[in-house]
Amino acid sequence: MKSHAKTVVIGGGVVGCSVLYHLAKAGWTDIMLIERSELTSGSSWHAAGGFHTLNGDPNVAKLQAYTVQLYKEIEEISGQSCSLHLTGGVMMADTPERMDFLRLAHAKGRYLGMDTELITPSEAKAMFPLMDETNFVGAMWDPVEGHLDPSGTTHAYAKAARKLGAEIVLRNRVVELTQEVDGTWNVVTEQGTVKAEHVVNCGGLWAREIGRMVGVELPVLAMEHMYLLTEPMPEVEEFNKSTGREMIGVLDFKGEIYTRQERNGILLGTYEKACKPWSPVNTPWDFGHELLQPDIDRIAPSLEIGFKHFPGIEKAGIKQIINGPFTFALDGNPLVGPVQGLTNFWCACGVMAGFSQGGGVGLALSNWMVHGDPGFDVWGMDVARFGEWATLRYTNAKVRENYSRRFSIRFPNEELPAARPAQTTPLYDTMLANNAVMGDSWGLETPLWFAPRGSEPKDVVSFHRSNDFRPIGEEVRATRERVGVTEIANFAKYEVSGPGAEDFLNRLMTNRMPKTGRIVLTPMLNEFGRLIGDFTIAKAGPRGGEDRFMIWGSSAAQKYHMRWFEKHLPKDGSIRIHRFDQTLVGLSIAGPKSRDLLQKLVDVDISTKAFRFMDFREMAVGGAPCMVNRITYTGDLGYEIWMAPAYQRLVYKAIKEAGEEFGLVDFGMRALLSMRLEKNFPTWFRELRPIYGPFEGSMDRFIKLEKNDFIGREAAAKEQAEGPKLRRVSFIVDAADADVMGDEPIWAKVGGKDYGTVEKPHGYGAPRFDAGGKEVRGSNAAEGASAVRGIVDGDWRVVGWVTSGGYAHYVEKSMAQGYVPAALAENESAGLFEIEILGHRRPARINVEPPFDPSGEKMRT
């Protein structure tokens, strides 16, 4: 074993071998993988080996599609077979709600170029005759599903990496990680120490322990997972013989099971409600090629439903039950990327779907390490998406919840209860007393809406408009016509100070920094000119003769943004960044009476001339020291009031008492988001993401190319000169009883013109066959299915996608935001666009100007 390497990858499962292969393919040959035992000694060897491309996050789905396409490549390079079986698969819906979920997934697949199809239960039975189709109402066919040999696939990655120059060291446990002053890592192993520039944690079951070596508690937990293998079945053999094909894979939401052919029998796995964690505190280092004791009683309820839905399997004998541990993160997606606060320490762990996601994880991480950017929008996998609140006990509770719900529908208005409340503000009990329905906002309890007195404060979960619709409308109208108050503690808050603070921020941000007492709105770009941040920045009064700036942004991106800030801090310590988190909380008042209300609580003049729109001031509110911004996300006259937690109850009580004469109401986050739609305001990580340029995001007025050489300026200037290919737009939608939720396809009547914005089908899919072996395409007979497949329908074509939307209660319109080709972005013609909602295409029209206060007069008054 050599003593120096550019990169050490820790862990020899499918993910570690994929990372090693992709780094070698990118040109880094001075790389080494260190494995405590043999390759595949953790979870990889006993995995069921299934793969698919569908994912709730379309950006993760793209990387899963890449993973499936990659297998032929690594087979050719390595000479090692992956034993790829591309059978295709179906998801079965037993209720109208689950069929709605499949319609949503099918619609997402349109703009991703996925070739899914909504079909009838009878059509599904033709491909998997062991089912009783009368238990189901519909299904979705996906040709890019199948299974492979886990061990062979992992070794194919490893052999391909070796051929490209990588080194693999087996039977050598990493026991310690330390870092020198110059950033070099000491990877201390049983066989000696390797000095490395980069360390990648691909530890799988031991990722948590490797994280602890560098002082990080990664939010991962291993769960016991069972699947069974049947004896050979005559029905399977007969199907294979008569059709010349394998049986397809089937996912049954009701039974929480998945099933597919395995040799001449069937593999059936469960994600049971009565799930069980494995080694919830510490993972034993001596665990290896071992299985856990099966517990068939625990999965009996799932098997009971499974045997009812698939009676052909019930008669089969069980040959073996596999029970092994798999590692999950809180939301089921991987943890990938550089760890904030550390130098060149990377993660690629929590990848429970390693044979669906391993290739994409390896590609994204190698891009990130070699080129400084993952090359994709990987927020759904970024290790920075969780905060310090994701402690060991929180993680263990959330992972159990996620596992037990893996095949459950997550409704757009559904808040999951495990490990809550984790963080609360001083107003938490007050909000509950006010009948608030609370939501989880990056671990913080936040009021979503207020139920009428006498009614239960609870969401009725649905894909359609629900019990919150009327109360939210009342909150919006009262705020727009009088005044409302809402809690905004769930914003990110930072202070940047030091003698060069202004120069530092001018280098990071696209807009000019404000003068003392003023506010600017500004995006932040990466080196490639892509949107990685959107902030409100105020210049506060100097402290000790040094510049001081307050910054507000997205709470969910706090660690993501701190990682970027720290990367660009000067080495001399002259700039300091303080992240407040919940040591600074806030309230916002908005509406035409908000100035009158605030004036009763302060002892300074806040008239229009004395306290202008986009002014910042430190003042006492209700007797409490506060910072006040004259700005709100409602787009109306209003103020953001920030204070230490010790003063929040005092300020809120003062606002409530002073607001009685003005008809003050409490409003929640859903009302706030409804009002932002009426102003065409974007949101971070929906409209503004690292896959978009600033001009694509319609952020033109905040991009000051002439001010200085900020990060991403050259790329932004090129985008402006060449013209953006896409544009963020706002739509008014002729919706029925359901509004957009995000990720719906946008259709346009453009004839044969191809605007080139929709990804072409990846073409690596299995056709669909009936029981007689005849190919079946294009029936779409499932109830409520769209009349066409694919992305083209006569003169209509999928040209874009929805990023977010909902109902705008004050203007009484269903609205959506999304991206379309720039050439169509200002075309407000009726009849040009349709947006697909729950399988039905609804007429939509672009509105260039916001429907509420298009001139912006109200917020400037």
Side-chain angles (χ1 to χ4, degrees), residues 523-674:
M524 183 169 71
L525 309 179
N526 61 19
E527 296 95 331
F528 306 96
R530 296 291 165 175
L531 289 161
I532 61 168
D534 182 43
F535 300 100
T536 300
I537 300 182
K539 187 173 185 180
R543 180 185 296 145
E546 296 182 346
D547 285 343
R548 183 166 61 101
F549 291 85
M550 291 297 303
I551 303 178
W552 292 269
S554 167
S555 62
Q558 288 184 61
K559 299 196 82 170
Y560 174 88
H561 286 142
M562 282 299 293
R563 185 173 65 193
W564 184 260
F565 295 154
E566 290 168 356
K567 178 180 177 180
H568 295 282
L569 280 173
K571 304 298 183 185
D572 60 6
S574 59
I575 305 298
R576 296 176 298 279
I577 298 180
H578 175 67
R579 176 182 145 219
F580 288 96
D581 202 9
Q582 294 311 309
T583 62
L584 186 68
V585 295
L587 297 163
S588 177
I589 57 174
K593 298 295 184 180
S594 58
R595 177 185 288 111
D596 296 335
L597 192 163
L598 184 59
Q599 187 64 79
K600 294 182 65 175
L601 303 178
V602 299
D603 301 313
V604 295
D605 182 7
I606 59 165
S607 62
T608 303
K609 291 183 178 179
F611 196 35
R612 302 165 296 167
F613 177 61
M614 302 289 279
D615 268 358
F616 164 88
R617 189 175 299 176
E618 295 179 82
M619 63 178 78
V621 179
C626 297
M627 294 179 286
V628 182
N629 296 334
R630 213 203 113 173
I631 188 174
T632 77
Y633 197 39
T634 67
D636 213 324
L637 172 66
Y639 307 85
E640 293 174 352
I641 307 168
W642 302 97
M643 72 290 294
Y647 296 109
Q648 192 186 30
R649 293 174 72 94
L650 171 64
V651 176
Y652 177 75
K653 183 174 182 288
I655 289 172
K656 291 287 283 186
E657 291 175 351
E660 284 187 15
E661 69 175 276
F662 304 112
L664 175 75
V665 297
D666 287 287
F667 68 94
M669 195 54 53
R670 290 182 185 167
L672 181 65
L673 293 175
S674 172

Side-chain angles (χ1 to χ4, degrees), residues 786-844:
S786 176
V788 298
R789 296 174 60 252
I791 59 175
V792 179
D793 174 20
D795 288 339
W796 290 87
R797 180 177 181 83
V798 174
V799 297
W801 53 92
V802 169
T803 50
S804 71
Y807 194 78
H809 286 270
Y810 194 68
V811 299
E812 298 184 333
K813 303 288 184 184
S814 182
M815 297 190 68
Q817 290 192 37
Y819 281 82
V820 300
L824 297 175
E826 295 188 3
N827 192 328
E828 297 183 279
S829 303
L832 176 60
F833 292 101
E834 292 178 345
I835 294 177
E836 190 170 345
I837 303 176
L838 297 178
H840 299 277
R841 282 158 50 180
R842 309 296 304 182

Side-chain angles (χ1 to χ4, degrees), residues 409-426:
I409 295 171
R410 177 75 183 268
F411 291 95
N413 64 332
E414 186 173 11
E415 295 287 327
L416 302 183
R420 293 176 54 197
Q423 296 181 90
T424 60
T425 71

Side-chain angles (χ1 to χ4, degrees), residues 27 80 125 191-192 208 213 228 261-262 264 275 352 395 405 436 458 513 539 630 665 695 708 733 785 807 809 849:
Q80 167 75 49
K125 180 182 175 67
Q191 297 177 16
R208 182 178 53 188
M213 292 180 185
L228 60 85
Q261 183 174 336
E262 174 69 16
N264 295 325
C275 55
M352 58 75 51
T395 294
R405 292 179 47 88
K458 181 180 179 180
M513 289 304 100
K539 187 173 185 180
R630 213 203 113 173
V665 297
F695 297 99
N708 63 277
V733 187
Y807 194 78
H809 286 270
E849 295 295 329

